[in-house]
Amino acid sequence: MTLVERLREKREDLRPMVRRFKRNKPAVLGLIIAICFLVVAIFAPHLAPYDYRVQDLERRMEVPSSDHPFGTDRFGRDIFSRVIVGTRTSVYIGFTATVMVVLLGAVIGIGAGFFGGSIESVLMRITDIFMSIPSMFLMIVFVAVFGPSLFNTIIVIGLTRWTGIARLARANTMAIRNEDFVEAGLATGASDLRIILRHVLPNIMAPIVVQASLFLGQAILTEAGLSYLGLGAQPPLPSWGNMVSDGQDYLTVAWWQATIPGAAIFFAVLAFNLFGDGVRDALDPKMKR
Amino acid sequence: MVLLALMIAGAMLFSFGCADPAEPEDPADNGEEPDTPDDPDEEEPTDERGDLVWSHAGDPVWLNPVLEQAGSDIRTNKVLFDQLIVLNEEAEPEGQLAADWEISDDGHLVTVNLVQNAYFHDGEPLTAEDVVFTYSLHLNPEVPTRYGSDLWPLVGFEELTDEDDPADFEEYEPVVAADEYTVEFHLDFPFAGFVTEALTLGIVPKHVIEAQMEGDTAITEIPFNANPVGSGPFVFNYWDHENEMIFDAFEDYHQGHPGADRYIRRVIPDPTVRAMEQQAGSIDVMAVTDVDVLADLDADPDVDVYAVPGFGYRTLAVVNDHPLWEDSRVREAIAYGIDQQSAVELYGGPMADLAADGAPIGPISWAHHPDLEARPHDPDRALELLADAGWEQDDNGVLRNDAGEAFEFDLLTFPGVERHDMNLIFQENLRGLGMEVGAREVAAPDLMYQMYGSDHRDMIFIGWSMSVDPDGEMWRRWHSDEDDHNNFYNFRNDRVDELLEMARFETDQDVRRDYYHEVQEILDEELPGINVFYSVSNIAFRSNFHGMRFGADGWQDFIHAIYQDPIQ
């Protein structure tokens, strides 16, 4: 079978799923909004009309106008530009943290589910320990020790939020592990790694992708929480979280400072959650009423 | 829009929820019974002088001026205990228990004549023996007092305060009762600042404390510390912990009946709630520490806000012997590169007064140098100085030296809105020069820990406090004996050392002023640190109160004179 034929076959396999997804209107809306955020994030430097760092102390806390569609903050910085650049920060952290969570969770979950025995016991007890520590507490301690930065924010979200994926991967791997085709592969002398990559991974990808798409919104929310506490993106780099934090003291006199980035968080998380729900329903038709 | 409105409403509800004051504790729950029927929950008819209600963020710990540590202790003790002298609005000494005082020509003897009509709240007269006893406690190394080191010029100070083998007080007699109402202070060193630094301690009653310390009871364990007997204008009456303290006017006070019948100290931790209570009229006076709260109170016609110059100054400090900062032209470039005026005007507001770059002594002090000023915001001049020091912008606008190293450092400060905002202005100003500057807020203990050592690269935006007599703070910060310690700048200048030493032992204030002026001129030229502003305290009183005086150590030193319009 040629590569083109193989791809065509794959596309045929996906067609019912895509059809189910398209019928789910909220999910499509979520996807559209998510794509908008992605486009804004990718082209942020070109879309922002002002340098997000430049202060204009003569024009502090100006109401939204044609010059500054989202107004200015207390340093006279353009909030529209800062929300755009903040989109890049939040989406970048959301995606990279999600990738890290998936990699870490999948490796541990598949390892536990596939090998069983003492390896499983050790890996799942580690998972239990991480689940029993309040993740926000762990994050604050980590950032306090290693210092706040974008990189550390990604690492800390990755290190504290992988447990759900690990449990999911383990349960699905255990189910696949007892399938005849896996037993057959082992009987033919195929290595564990080959069986995991060729047989286990493709069969457990669907639930992990669903979980990951739902986690994206959570990662953005977590980053916003950390930045709100001053532990995420550091000034002058904007993130939605630190913009809400900066603007909260001026809610009654300059509502736009906190509410606009707050609305951005709301819509981004909503969009990724709707999209994630849609993917889950599309991949698992049994769940659809 | 509906969604936005809901979010705003939610946020406001949350913020109001957080601001709710805690329910006051039931006085019956704390195991203490008030010793008079002054139950604060019962409405009482006010008599002709009325109450003076002050609100503060928390309770004091020690109602004993010998043991006081925190600001809440000090300000509370000032209404209970009188001192030999208090500092007036110009930070000059004014007699309180001292009728007058005299410094001998050689500066080795300070003689204080006490007023002869001062009594403790239990009716016993206050005499020279009480003063001697109070100072003997401060010189006892077993007594945890914060003021012991202020008495360093006294005869036998080293021996008396030796923790391992303290000498007997009687052996040296640094403080002597010459007669019933005359006290002599014998000094090893003729220190001109002795009066303002050492005679401002609250005097405690010998007969009460000695009796309570019988049988080797430590002074920290005596009941006096929570049920004190002082000689100040108000008498301790009632304490509902973390809620309210009540003090009654001392009718036999030596300066006359206080202007209020009761002084009430109420704990309200949240500054916004405090301001609301002040505007509602349920408290009469508060210290304003928040710019937004200040604006609200300023706009209220029933509240008068008084701006009082303070001793605090906020400075950008660096370790001068770090390779990045060792060239004074670099430090001067920072002074030109940052927009100090805008930062102070916009974010310090009425709580800050633009400081001269090199002069840490503010306008409240007699040693302030009136001719020194802040450098203007002049990025071009800053770039010239940096170029002279070997730092030039590359094609990308990044400032680099000959070795190609970028000019990068972090600007650290304690958490706080105004510090945060000023830090971000300076960060952006310095980025404009091509420096790569991170702005970080660090918890206070961490920041103090990070400050020392010549390998410390970061700049710290920190607040110090000038001592009433400049000697203490100027010596601590700028004398080379203190480098790697209080002089964390590691600033070393022989002429400054010499001037500080001469100023310490000179008794003529005019000559001392000249010395301190010259020190500040050198500091302004060398710029080991860049002062940004001198602090200004803001005190809000209900507008029906009068007679306030804002001494350098606080308005509480003159609380007896405060009165309100006749109550209808």
Side-chain angles (χ1 to χ4, degrees):
Chain A
M1 190 186 283
T2 65
L3 181 64
V4 175
E5 285 168 335
R6 232 193 282 172
L7 286 173
R8 189 170 295 147
E9 192 179 296
K10 277 271 177 209
R11 202 177 62 190
E12 292 301 319
D13 290 348
L14 289 173
R15 202 161 268 172
M17 192 204 96
V18 173
R19 230 184 356 258
R20 283 195 295 275
F21 186 87
K22 278 183 179 169
R23 278 204 298 267
N24 186 341
K25 295 285 185 293
V28 173
L29 180 66
L31 178 63
I32 292 169
I33 297 174
I35 288 172
C36 290
F37 276 118
L38 285 177
V39 170
V40 169
I42 292 166
F43 297 104
H46 307 288
L47 295 174
Y50 297 91
D51 185 335
Y52 68 89
R53 297 165 299 191
V54 169
Q55 302 173 352
D56 183 353
L57 299 177
E58 303 289 317
R59 305 188 66 172
R60 301 166 68 235
M61 298 204 275
E62 281 192 2
V63 294
S65 64
S66 54
D67 276 358
H68 299 285
F70 289 172
T72 64
D73 68 8
R74 67 185 192 283
F75 298 103
R77 298 178 297 196
D78 180 51
I79 292 180
F80 183 61
S81 304
R82 290 181 65 76
V83 168
I84 287 173
V85 177
T87 306
R88 171 177 267 206
T89 310
S90 298
V91 170
Y92 169 71
I93 289 179
F95 269 93
T96 45
T98 302
V99 168
M100 189 173 165
V101 161
V102 168
L103 284 178
L104 205 56
V107 167
I108 289 173
I110 292 172
F114 188 81
F115 295 109
S118 56
I119 293 178
E120 182 188 21
S121 292
V122 170
L123 291 176
M124 293 325 289
R125 290 307 76 74
I126 293 172
T127 310
D128 289 341
I129 289 169
F130 269 86
M131 287 183 90
S132 64
I133 303 173
S135 56
M136 190 49 95
F137 170 74
L138 205 59
M139 290 178 194
I140 290 171
V141 170
F142 182 93
V143 176
V145 173
F146 295 102
S149 70
L150 272 195
F151 179 74
N152 285 350
T153 306
I154 294 163
I155 296 291
V156 78
I157 295 175
L159 286 179
T160 52
R161 292 295 177 87
W162 53 269
T163 51
I165 299 268
R167 289 200 149 208
L168 186 72
R170 169 181 165 269
N172 282 278
T173 304
M174 286 171 77
I176 299 293
R177 173 74 175 77
N178 297 322
E179 292 285 341
D180 291 343
F181 59 89
V182 174
E183 296 293 342
L186 287 170
T188 58
S191 69
D192 292 340
L193 185 63
R194 182 179 168 79
I195 290 172
I196 287 170
L197 293 177
R198 291 298 296 265
H199 300 298
V200 177
L201 200 56
N203 281 292
I204 67 165
M205 272 314 283
I208 289 181
V209 166
V210 168
Q211 197 66 23
S213 59
L214 286 168
F215 180 75
L216 252 171
Q218 294 305 308
I220 288 172
L221 213 51
T222 307
E223 184 280 327
L226 282 174
S227 291
Y228 178 84
L229 296 173
L231 303 173
Q234 291 301 292
L237 184 69
S239 93
W240 295 334
N242 66 22
M243 290 179 74
V244 171
S245 172
D246 281 351
Q248 65 174 352
D249 290 337
Y250 303 91
L251 211 53
T252 50
V253 287
W255 57 267
W256 53 91
Q257 283 198 65
T259 45
I260 290 174
I265 296 171
F266 174 80
F267 284 116
V269 174
L270 181 69
F272 284 113
N273 281 350
L274 290 175
F275 171 68
D277 280 344
V279 172
R280 182 188 59 200
D281 294 348
L283 283 174
D284 186 357
K286 281 177 284 185
M287 291 190 64
K288 194 80 184 153
R289 278 175 300 194
Chain B
M1 279 316 285
V2 173
L3 198 61
L4 273 179
L6 281 173
M7 287 171 68
I8 295 168
M12 289 176 75
L13 275 175
F14 175 73
S15 111
F16 284 128
C18 290
D20 277 343
E23 283 292 312
E25 289 174 19
D26 182 353
D29 287 347
N30 64 10
E32 288 184 18
E33 287 294 324
D35 55 2
T36 75
D38 287 328
D39 188 338
D41 293 329
E42 281 180 22
E43 282 294 324
E44 280 187 17
T46 51
D47 54 27
E48 63 185 80
R49 292 188 181 88
D51 297 336
L52 172 59
V53 185
W54 177 47
S55 173
H56 196 263
D59 261 354
V61 178
W62 302 104
L63 296 185
N64 180 343
V66 176
L67 301 176
E68 66 189 17
Q69 295 290 336
S72 53
D73 297 349
I74 295 168
R75 285 184 282 272
T76 308
N77 286 331
K78 278 181 180 296
V79 307
L80 289 165
F81 297 88
D82 268 7
Q83 309 164 176
L84 294 181
I85 61 124
V86 290
L87 300 173
N88 68 13
E89 293 82 345
E90 280 77 44
E92 286 165 347
E94 200 171 293
Q96 192 172 49
L97 288 171
D100 55 60
W101 62 94
E102 188 183 356
I103 303 172
S104 64
D105 290 341
D106 65 1
H108 285 280
L109 176 65
V110 178
T111 306
V112 178
N113 294 309
L114 301 178
V115 295
Q116 299 190 10
N117 60 341
Y119 294 89
F120 285 107
H121 299 152
D122 60 1
E124 290 293 317
L126 187 150
T127 67
E129 286 298 336
D130 296 301
V131 178
V132 174
F133 176 72
T134 300
Y135 281 83
S136 73
L137 290 174
H138 284 289
L139 287 164
N140 183 343
E142 287 180 6
V143 175
T145 167
R146 59 178 268 159
Y147 301 112
S149 58
D150 291 340
L151 306 179
W152 63 268
L154 286 174
V155 168
F157 174 78
E158 293 291 337
E159 293 80 3
L160 290 165
T161 56
D162 182 347
E163 285 185 17
D164 298 326
D165 183 23
D168 282 341
F169 188 78
E170 289 73 22
E171 190 180 331
Y172 287 92
E173 293 199 316
V175 187
V176 179
D179 61 39
E180 198 176 0
Y181 292 105
T182 307
V183 187
E184 291 176 352
F185 292 86
H186 296 272
L187 277 60
D188 257 341
F189 305 96
F191 173 47
F194 185 78
V195 171
T196 51
E197 290 290 305
L199 301 190
T200 49
L201 311 182
I203 303 302
V204 294
K206 180 182 179 184
H207 63 283
V208 178
I209 291 187
E210 240 180 14
Q212 293 191 3
M213 286 178 71
E214 259 181 23
D216 281 345
T217 305
I219 190 168
T220 51
E221 303 295 327
I222 59 176
F224 181 93
N225 301 329
N227 190 9
V229 177
S231 63
F234 289 92
V235 183
F236 175 76
N237 176 355
Y238 170 83
W239 189 354
D240 176 15
H241 290 266
E242 293 299 332
N243 183 25
E244 192 169 66
M245 299 175 85
I246 297 175
F247 307 86
D248 295 331
F250 182 31
E251 295 189 357
D252 295 328
Y253 186 56
H254 64 96
Q255 295 190 35
H257 194 296
D261 282 317
R262 295 194 308 176
Y263 169 64
I264 298 174
R265 186 187 188 284
R266 197 164 283 165
V267 175
I268 304 176
D270 188 289
T272 311
V273 177
R274 268 206 299 279
M276 288 162 69
E277 297 260 2
Q278 173 106 22
Q279 290 183 289
S282 50
I283 61 174
D284 301 315
V285 55
M286 64 178 278
V288 190
T289 54
D290 184 290
V291 176
D292 294 325
V293 168
L294 181 63
D296 287 345
L297 291 175
D298 249 343
D300 188 329
D302 293 328
V303 176
D304 294 330
V305 181
Y306 299 86
V308 185
F311 284 98
Y313 63 102
R314 197 61 54 79
T315 190
L316 291 164
V318 291
V319 176
N320 285 206
D321 53 2
H322 186 281
L324 188 66
W325 302 112
E326 62 189 355
D327 191 325
S328 65
R329 288 172 297 189
V330 171
R331 304 193 295 266
E332 190 171 15
I334 300 280
Y336 278 113
I338 57 176
D339 188 355
Q340 303 177 58
Q341 186 145 3
S342 296
V344 171
E345 277 177 12
L346 295 174
Y347 302 104
M351 301 181 144
D353 188 8
L354 187 66
D357 289 335
I361 303 176
I364 189 173
S365 171
W366 51 266
H368 175 64
H369 197 314
D371 301 330
L372 297 176
E373 291 179 347
R375 284 162 178 74
H377 183 214
D378 186 348
D380 293 336
R381 176 76 185 124
L383 286 171
E384 277 172 30
L385 286 162
L386 287 164
D388 292 345
W391 293 93
E392 303 244 28
Q393 287 184 342
D394 67 11
D395 295 340
N396 298 318
V398 177
L399 207 59
R400 293 187 187 279
N401 62 9
D402 293 341
E405 295 163 331
F407 197 117
E408 54 182 326
F409 64 96
D410 277 354
L411 188 48
L412 311 180
T413 193
F414 296 120
V417 174
E418 129 268 325
R419 297 183 193 111
H420 170 83
D421 288 355
M422 288 193 194
N423 237 20
L424 293 191
I425 288 195
F426 298 152
Q427 180 192 35
E428 176 59 12
N429 292 153
L430 297 173
R431 189 187 68 81
L433 298 180
M435 298 178 182
E436 292 176 12
V437 184
R440 285 197 290 130
E441 289 181 31
V442 185
D446 286 351
L447 187 57
M448 300 303 282
Y449 177 73
Q450 288 180 30
M451 278 165 47
Y452 300 104
S454 54
D455 59 343
H456 183 80
R457 182 188 187 90
D458 296 329
M459 176 179 277
I460 295 174
F461 186 35
I462 194 168
W464 302 123
S465 184
M466 183 53 58
S467 41
V468 174
D469 185 277
D471 173 77
E473 175 71 0
M474 294 299 279
W475 188 286
R476 269 194 295 273
R477 299 289 165 228
W478 312 111
H479 197 284
S480 58
D481 277 359
E482 300 275 351
D483 62 0
D484 274 329
H485 183 48
N486 288 318
N487 172 5
F488 95 103
Y489 305 83
N490 288 349
F491 175 74
R492 301 177 191 95
N493 182 298
D494 291 342
R495 179 62 183 158
V496 167
D497 285 356
E498 189 185 358
L499 288 162
L500 291 175
E501 285 154 22
M502 289 193 295
R504 172 167 276 191
F505 299 116
E506 174 59 57
T507 52
D508 185 326
Q509 185 161 297
D510 291 334
V511 178
R512 296 184 78 214
R513 180 185 289 113
D514 290 342
Y515 291 153
Y516 285 121
H517 279 188
E518 191 180 338
V519 170
Q520 291 179 91
E521 283 160 14
I522 296 171
L523 292 177
D524 198 58
E525 197 179 314
E526 294 282 319
L527 282 185
I530 300 152
N531 301 315
V532 178
F533 65 86
Y534 306 119
S535 65
V536 178
S537 301
N538 286 268
I539 317 291
F541 271 89
R542 297 283 302 169
S543 53
N544 54 323
F545 281 84
H546 312 283
M548 290 77 77
R549 288 185 61 193
F550 298 96
D553 263 353
W555 58 270
Q556 289 89 347
D557 275 339
F558 302 96
I559 192 172
H560 67 280
I562 299 175
Y563 64 97
Q564 59 181 303
D565 291 332
I567 296 168
Q568 302 301 316

